[in-house]
Amino acid sequence: MTSPAHVAIIMDGNGRWAKSRGLPRVAGHRAGVEALRNVVRAAPQLGISFLTVYAFSSENWSRPKSEVSDLMGLLKLFIRRDLAELHRNGVRVRVIGDRESLQPDIRGLLEEAEALTLANAGLTLVIAFNYGSRDEIVRAARKLAQAALRGEIEPHMIEAEDIAGALDTAGIPDPDLVIRTSGELRLSNFLLWQAAYSELVFVPCYWPDFGGDNLAEALRDFAGRERRFGGLSPEEAVTPALAR
Ligand code: FPP
């Protein structure tokens, strides 16, 4: 089976998982961190090289203060508790999203995780934190406009690769597969540029219930898809010799 090199996940449904058990929302997020741990352990065994997870969106600030603070606390705990294991397992951590508006302690922890694991050659775990795709594209446009003002680039020479190189995901291949849990059928401002040709798999279970088996099943679904990237399937495509 051909495994996707890059899988991106919208980890949705923590709140509903908690509600269905009569628990506070924070319990759902805690269980969500446990599911994340399991999936990070399972991913390399399934042939995945890049795993991107949507941990906190730029729109999540509009949640009640207490929930925002719970999510910030869980990220801190995750980095403090799991960084040593991630490093031991050769995981390289990358963070995408706007860092400027994060509290200095959170920003420091994220940067520490990136610096410690920079030379690791195993799974690349991309944590999307304070991330929103439109915000990322706006920041990239500003970078390119500033480079043009400095005379470093000509506006009419800007190509898709220049935009890709100015995004937070520079150097990371586009996701082959985007998975969203909890039955919602949306991308919610996640990797809008990068997911142009990604296969999408929507699974009904809430994120805390998602594990290695669900990931393997999503990969089987992916393996059955025919990716054409805007072209034709091999049997429909006319070879250049015949076309002449
Ligand atoms: C969506 O569930 C999930 C989030 C907003 C946050 C995702 C966070 C985690 C999985 C745990 C935190 C991980 C780290 C590393 C910080 P929801 O709250 O929108 O669920 P609902 O739609 O059922 O209410």
Side-chain angles (χ1 to χ4, degrees):
M1 185 177 92
T2 334
S3 286
H6 184 175
V7 175
I9 308 185
I10 303 174
M11 309 181 289
D12 195 12
N14 295 345
R16 279 163 285 166
W17 180 93
K19 194 174 176 198
S20 70
R21 284 166 172 72
L23 297 169
R25 291 180 61 83
V26 65
H29 295 314
R30 278 196 210 109
V33 175
E34 195 49 41
L36 174 62
R37 271 189 197 110
N38 292 335
V39 166
V40 170
R41 288 182 190 131
Q45 292 158 14
L46 292 167
I48 296 167
S49 306
F50 294 84
L51 177 71
T52 299
V53 291
Y54 206 1
F56 190 88
S57 82
S58 31
E59 287 72 39
N60 286 155
W61 293 106
S62 63
R63 295 192 175 202
K65 255 187 170 172
S66 59
E67 185 168 346
V68 169
S69 147
D70 287 339
L71 285 165
M72 295 291 156
L74 281 172
L75 176 80
K76 286 196 236 177
L77 210 61
F78 175 70
I79 303 278
R80 290 204 183 108
R81 280 205 192 145
D82 291 51
L83 185 58
E85 180 190 329
L86 293 170
H87 186 41
R88 223 176 17 253
N89 293 337
V91 175
R92 177 176 177 168
V93 177
R94 273 273 301 260
V95 180
I96 58 171
D98 178 17
R99 298 178 192 206
E100 299 293 318
S101 47
L102 289 176
Q103 286 165 1
D105 59 338
I106 301 242
R107 198 172 151 171
L109 272 174
L110 293 174
E111 284 167 1
E112 181 191 330
E114 287 185 312
L116 178 72
T117 62
L118 185 65
N120 288 347
L123 174 78
T124 298
L125 173 63
V126 184
I127 303 176
F129 201 82
N130 196 21
Y131 177 86
S133 206
R134 288 183 172 181
D135 173 66
E136 179 192 33
I137 292 169
V138 167
R139 287 185 288 107
R142 287 182 187 147
K143 275 188 227 166
L144 291 172
Q146 276 154 4
L149 277 179
R150 289 193 299 267
E152 293 164 11
I153 50 169
E154 294 276 357
H156 71 277
M157 301 286 279
I158 295 174
E159 302 286 353
E161 299 79 64
D162 300 304
I163 295 176
L167 295 172
D168 297 344
T169 49
I172 299 172
D174 287 342
D176 302 288
L177 169 63
V178 177
I179 300 172
R180 182 172 189 148
T181 58
S182 92
E184 303 290 344
L185 310 178
R186 288 187 294 281
L187 283 178
S188 299
N189 206 13
F190 185 51
L191 303 177
L192 298 183
W193 172 279
Q194 299 87 339
Y197 289 102
S198 303
E199 294 297 325
L200 309 179
V201 169
F202 298 98
V203 296
C205 79
Y206 296 142
W207 173 250
D209 291 327
F210 190 91
D213 290 350
N214 303 84
L215 182 58
E217 195 181 326
L219 299 197
R220 281 194 290 278
D221 192 339
F222 171 85
R225 305 277 179 97
E226 186 193 351
R227 302 187 77 195
R228 297 204 300 265
F229 298 96
L232 296 178
S233 62
E235 53 277 17
E236 287 167 323
V238 181
T239 62
L242 289 172
R244 259 187 257 124

